Amino acid sequence: MSDSSRDTAEGAGWGAPEPGDYRQLVPPARGRKLSWLDPRTLWLARNGMLASWFGDPTGRIRSRWVAQQAAVGAPADKVIRRPGPDRFAFLVAGDTGEGGDPQYAVVPGLLRVGQDTQFMIIASDVIYPVGATDDYGDKFFRPYQDYPAPIYAVPGNHDWYEDLHGFMRVFCDDAPPLPPEPRPRPLTRGWLRDRLWHRPSPVDEADFAQARKLRSAPAQMAVQPGPYWAIDAGPIRIVGIDTGLLGTVDAEQGAWLREVSRDPRPKILITGKPLYADGVLRPCPIEGGGTVDEIVRDPAHRYVAAIGGDIHNYQRYPIRVDGNRTIQYVVAGGGGAFTHATHTIPPVHMAGLTEADFRCYPLRGDSLAFYSRIYARRTRLRRFFTLTEAQAAAVVAERLEGRPARTPDSPAPVTPRTRLVATLLGTGRRPRRFRLPLRKLYTGLLSPSCATHAPPFFKSFLRIDVSPEALRLRCHAATGHRAQELDPPVEDEVTIPLT
């Protein structure tokens, strides 16, 4: 087994290792490159902001999609029943679809680790920036054309920026567009939202038909009943929910979730937005009362893990509930989009959890070193901003008042410059009241501006092995280097009892 980032700097992808073969997979650029600093991209993705200002219509639109699918024969309970053995494996990758080097760098290792898996699930944001149908060619069909098994998905907020039209066509048996709705009364909040709303863009049907042929083998076919669903496979039930634009669940989906959770099998939740992320509980409110997290914690429902995308890294929080039961709350959004910082995550001390129990990838020190080099290049202040891996690890360890997650070959001293750079980039010793605003700034603004097209990428995906006795969850890294393509390192592993 190859070294991981917890073992050596080379295992993290630092140094000058041999570049990976993924570059042969990346298609030629068509049109302008996706940039989150481009005002045109931000304008296309405006629906989330409009929903927060003028009311969120996704619950109503989702209900229309679900009703339309029911009318053409989708099962009423929305359960996909997969016959098969009690021992099997599947993959989970979140926030995949930017279509650039980081997404394609994940593919060789994913194919190698996933060659014997039964299916794959994409958790959130299948297609950036707005879920357009025309983008599925280079951002879904092409990268996963050689994955031999079915792929299911739960949508993320970016898939909703075109009202889920592309998502429903690809994953729900070529669902036709929804018929138009009556327009809201003039001079109301709904009318103003409707006037500014981004509509689904026209589709190049010939190009889309060609793209679909890339994943057209019978063994690759997957049809799901709608944007939320459950899969019965072996001894477990996997429940996928749609958290829409703003991370909420409508009343109709909430009632379904309560009902489907009563099944006696152990369960895994897959969600567009994680319930724990960056050291904060995000319980996901349900319209009409209650939260998704309350359903997950109910011992009668037997949830053992809750896995969400949206945050573009890997995090794991083993939270003890009801005294002797542990639920693994996992962030799995490292499948291809720009990397969100982990060095801004504060020391973990919550719900009986300590820093020693928490896991993340990239390691906080690697995250800080990664960001320091990007800002050194952007500002042209290379001598000031650039931190070596050892310098970044040392200043993060000082902040966490503990040992570095990876022991450096030659420890670096913490200097006033390294402390200042760490503070400017969102870590270091700062008053607690400033932590949340700085973390929000990095997650919402600065992280998207730091997309890079050169390794190491610090991408990741999950392989989950299932048996009647336990699940084994492993987080595999994808750096963009050949060594990690040939033998994707395991960055984290946990065994979850089912009995």
Side-chain angles (χ1 to χ4, degrees):
M1 183 180 294
S2 62
D3 285 347
S4 75
S5 67
R6 291 181 173 270
D7 300 317
T8 64
E10 292 74 19
W14 298 115
E18 182 182 358
D21 293 335
Y22 76 89
R23 294 174 299 171
Q24 301 172 18
L25 306 175
V26 181
R30 294 193 290 179
R32 57 190 176 89
K33 185 176 290 187
L34 174 62
S35 169
W36 295 104
L37 296 178
D38 189 333
R40 292 171 294 182
T41 301
L42 299 177
W43 177 243
L44 281 174
R46 63 189 179 271
N47 284 2
M49 193 66 70
L50 293 174
S52 66
W53 289 344
F54 302 115
D56 184 2
T58 54
R60 186 186 73 251
I61 297 170
R62 185 188 296 116
S63 293
R64 296 180 67 211
W65 280 120
V66 169
Q68 179 174 278
Q69 289 303 102
V72 297
D77 61 3
K78 302 171 184 59
V79 177
I80 303 162
R81 292 173 173 86
R82 292 186 54 87
D86 281 349
R87 299 178 187 272
F88 68 96
F90 66 99
L91 300 176
V92 179
D95 302 87
T96 53
E98 279 199 354
D101 286 46
Q103 179 179 7
Y104 280 85
V106 176
V107 172
L110 182 146
L111 294 177
R112 187 173 296 274
V113 170
Q115 58 187 342
D116 63 338
T117 53
Q118 298 295 305
F119 55 89
M120 173 176 163
I121 298 172
I122 297 180
S124 184
D125 293 343
V126 183
I127 300 296
Y128 292 93
V130 294
T133 306
D134 278 351
D135 284 342
Y136 271 84
D138 287 347
K139 299 177 181 181
F140 175 75
F141 291 113
R142 183 180 297 277
Y144 309 121
Q145 60 184 311
D146 293 325
Y147 179 67
I151 299 177
Y152 304 98
V154 294
N157 56 308
H158 287 268
D159 300 306
W160 267 101
Y161 289 156
E162 291 205 349
D163 293 343
L164 225 57
H165 279 243
F167 182 96
M168 295 297 292
R169 284 198 66 174
V170 170
F171 294 103
C172 300
D173 201 21
D174 210 13
L178 293 173
E181 284 187 292
R183 292 295 177 90
R185 290 185 293 107
L187 304 181
T188 62
R189 293 174 70 206
W191 175 83
L192 185 56
R193 181 190 63 218
D194 185 72
R195 299 282 292 182
L196 297 173
W197 199 252
H198 172 71
R199 306 289 177 185
S201 47
V203 179
D204 184 329
E205 294 293 347
D207 190 58
F208 182 65
Q210 284 298 116
R212 294 192 84 150
K213 292 178 181 178
L214 296 174
R215 278 192 54 83
S216 58
Q220 294 176 314
M221 294 295 98
V223 176
Q224 58 189 63
Y228 56 92
W229 41 260
I231 298 173
D232 285 348
I236 65 168
R237 170 168 282 186
I238 305 166
V239 179
I241 63 171
D242 171 16
T243 53
L245 283 170
L246 302 181
T248 60
V249 167
D250 63 278
E252 181 182 348
Q253 183 181 183
W256 170 84
L257 177 60
R258 291 184 174 97
E259 180 62 32
V260 82
S261 296
R262 294 191 180 102
D263 184 272
R265 277 167 283 205
K267 298 174 191 67
I268 301 172
L269 181 74
I270 306 288
T271 174
K273 290 187 181 293
L275 300 183
Y276 267 95
D278 297 338
V280 177
L281 172 63
R282 307 173 180 191
C284 187
I286 298 173
E287 181 186 20
T291 69
V292 170
D293 191 52
E294 289 172 354
I295 295 174
V296 168
R297 289 176 182 246
D298 187 331
H301 295 155
R302 298 192 67 193
Y303 280 92
V304 297
I307 302 171
D310 190 58
I311 306 297
H312 304 168
N313 52 45
Y314 171 80
Q315 302 171 40
R316 180 170 65 84
Y317 303 83
I319 302 294
R320 292 185 66 83
V321 297
D322 304 324
N324 60 356
R325 192 166 62 99
T326 297
I327 298 175
Q328 301 289 340
Y329 289 87
V330 178
V331 176
F338 64 86
T339 298
H340 276 132
T342 59
H343 63 269
T344 59
I345 301 172
V348 174
H349 296 288
M350 61 182 193
L353 195 68
T354 69
E355 184 64 30
D357 304 312
F358 170 70
R359 292 290 183 271
C360 68
Y361 177 78
L363 300 177
R364 289 184 179 94
D366 288 331
S367 171
L368 179 57
F370 174 81
Y371 270 78
S372 77
R373 297 175 192 206
I374 291 174
Y375 277 93
R377 187 170 64 249
R378 290 261 170 94
T379 62
R380 301 185 181 180
L381 299 173
R382 294 179 184 270
R383 294 185 64 183
F384 172 71
F385 266 111
T386 302
L387 300 181
T388 67
E389 310 88 73
Q391 288 171 330
V395 74
V396 166
E398 180 186 71
R399 170 195 149 190
L400 297 178
E401 299 179 352
R403 297 176 58 188
R406 177 179 66 242
T407 303
D409 294 333
S410 53
V414 179
T415 67
R417 181 186 73 87
T418 59
R419 288 193 182 101
L420 178 57
V421 171
T423 300
L424 290 173
L425 295 184
T427 186
R429 297 183 181 278
R430 59 183 182 274
R432 180 173 293 273
R433 65 180 178 276
F434 294 138
R435 284 178 180 165
L436 187 59
L438 277 172
R439 194 162 65 250
K440 286 183 175 179
L441 177 68
Y442 263 84
T443 299
L445 179 61
L446 298 183
S447 284
S449 73
C450 290
T452 180
H453 301 282
F457 294 121
F458 297 109
K459 299 290 95 190
S460 59
F461 60 93
L462 308 183
R463 175 183 167 119
I464 301 176
D465 289 83
V466 181
S467 74
E469 300 79 30
L471 309 178
R472 183 175 66 166
L473 182 153
R474 286 177 289 176
C475 172
H476 288 271
T479 65
H481 293 307
R482 182 168 170 75
Q484 283 87 9
E485 286 184 350
L486 296 174
D487 187 8
V490 177
E491 291 292 335
D492 185 35
E493 179 173 346
V494 62
T495 298
I496 306 170
L498 296 184
T499 57

